[in-house]
Amino acid sequence: AQSVSQHNHHVILSEAASLELGCNYSYGGTVNLFWYVQYPGQHLQLLLKYFSGDPLVKGIKGFEAEFIKSKFSFNLRKPSVQWSDTAEYFCAVNADGNNRLAFGKGNQVVVIP
Amino acid sequence: DTGVSQDPRHKITKRGQNVTFRCDPISEHNRLYWYRQTLGQGPEFLTYFQNEAQLEKSRLLSDRFSAERPKGSFSTLEIQRTEQGDSAMYLCASSLELGTGILSNQPQHFGDGTRLSIL
């Protein structure tokens, strides 16, 4: 079964600090990878996705993620966070034809002004 | 707003009662998914439809859970004889899929969810 691991469930940092959130998955075959973000009181929104090609993908709001196949990882990064980046971030993996997403537990990120 | 719509936003009910939630997907989307999210966890897949066909339901949590999408548009999720452990956020998502049995690159679009509280 697919499993997705996200560490450091709670992250607190100051504005302008750099952010990196780790995501590791267990499936060994071809995968599609996603990061979703949930701002307070809002629904899950797609931040970025990887299907194939360049392993460094860029998403909205200055976020990027790097797919490292040998490490089964898809880490999310932002060089300089803003207060508005306060949200919960979820990594998700799709590894079968049903497009059934397996989510990690999420990272609660709080950015202090 | 033409996103995924879920109704109601909140449902409070007594243990043992039946509840039904509705999801209206993005209009052109042919796939519809149901997930459940409990506190401190990511969404957990329950079932999905392609048009009106329910293609996967083995992850439904028990036989008290059922879902329908009779006309291939909106969907309902019903929980019979609710239990305390059913308290959670129930999320609906939709996507436009061009085939079956292939690894899709289409992202899922999520609704705001229905928060269920069992007294």
Side-chain angles (χ1 to χ4, degrees):
Chain A
Q2 305 167 45
S3 69
V4 181
S5 298
Q6 292 181 248
H7 308 290
N8 302 322
H9 186 64
H10 296 279
V11 177
I12 301 174
L13 60 168
S14 300
E15 278 192 317
S18 64
L19 173 68
E20 180 161 0
L21 302 177
C23 174
N24 291 89
Y25 60 93
S26 63
Y27 190 72
T30 302
V31 293
N32 290 338
L33 300 158
F34 305 83
W35 276 97
Y36 280 85
V37 61
Q38 188 167 27
Y39 299 104
Q42 297 187 26
H43 58 266
L44 281 163
Q45 301 173 41
L46 183 68
L47 201 53
L48 46 76
K49 60 186 179 184
Y50 172 79
F51 298 131
S52 62
D54 189 343
L56 184 63
V57 293
K58 295 191 183 299
I60 60 172
K61 304 186 179 185
F63 284 89
E64 64 179 30
E66 185 176 12
F67 170 53
I68 303 179
K69 188 174 182 179
S70 61
K71 294 185 177 180
F72 300 92
S73 70
F74 188 55
N75 293 353
L76 181 71
R77 297 192 291 257
K78 184 170 183 177
S80 176
V81 295
Q82 300 173 322
W83 174 79
S84 58
D85 293 322
T86 293
E88 190 153 20
Y89 294 81
F90 293 93
C91 180
V93 176
N94 166 31
D96 65 35
N98 289 322
N99 206 23
R100 177 174 58 207
L101 293 177
F103 283 85
K105 291 186 176 183
N107 297 103
Q108 183 66 55
V109 174
V110 175
V111 179
I112 301 171
Chain B
D1 189 323
T2 56
V4 178
S5 177
Q6 292 189 247
D7 183 70
R9 292 291 303 275
H10 303 274
K11 179 71 176 178
I12 302 173
T13 191
K14 293 182 179 179
R15 185 164 51 101
Q17 298 296 304
N18 299 343
V19 294
T20 300
F21 312 138
R22 177 179 170 125
C23 172
D24 287 87
I26 293 171
S27 60
E28 64 269 24
H29 283 184
N30 55 357
R31 280 208 182 173
L32 187 149
Y33 302 81
W34 285 99
Y35 292 83
R36 185 179 82 152
Q37 186 176 17
T38 54
L39 199 61
Q41 303 293 321
E44 174 189 11
F45 171 83
L46 295 178
T47 186
Y48 88 100
F49 296 83
Q50 175 134 338
N51 300 311
E52 66 276 10
Q54 190 173 13
L55 298 186
E56 171 65 71
K57 56 181 180 180
S58 64
R59 302 293 181 92
L60 284 169
L61 300 164
S62 78
D63 58 6
R64 297 184 296 106
F65 288 70
S66 63
E68 292 184 342
R69 194 183 184 197
K71 297 182 180 179
S73 56
F74 74 91
S75 175
T76 57
L77 177 69
E78 181 182 16
I79 309 174
Q80 295 182 328
R81 305 181 302 281
T82 52
E83 301 174 355
Q84 291 271 337
D86 297 333
S87 294
M89 177 73 86
Y90 290 84
L91 299 170
C92 177
S94 71
S95 67
L96 177 63
E97 302 299 335
L98 304 179
T100 57
I102 58 173
L103 194 60
S104 169
N105 62 6
Q106 300 302 314
Q108 295 177 26
H109 299 262
F110 284 82
D112 288 329
T114 294
R115 183 170 296 283
L116 174 65
S117 298
I118 306 298
L119 302 177

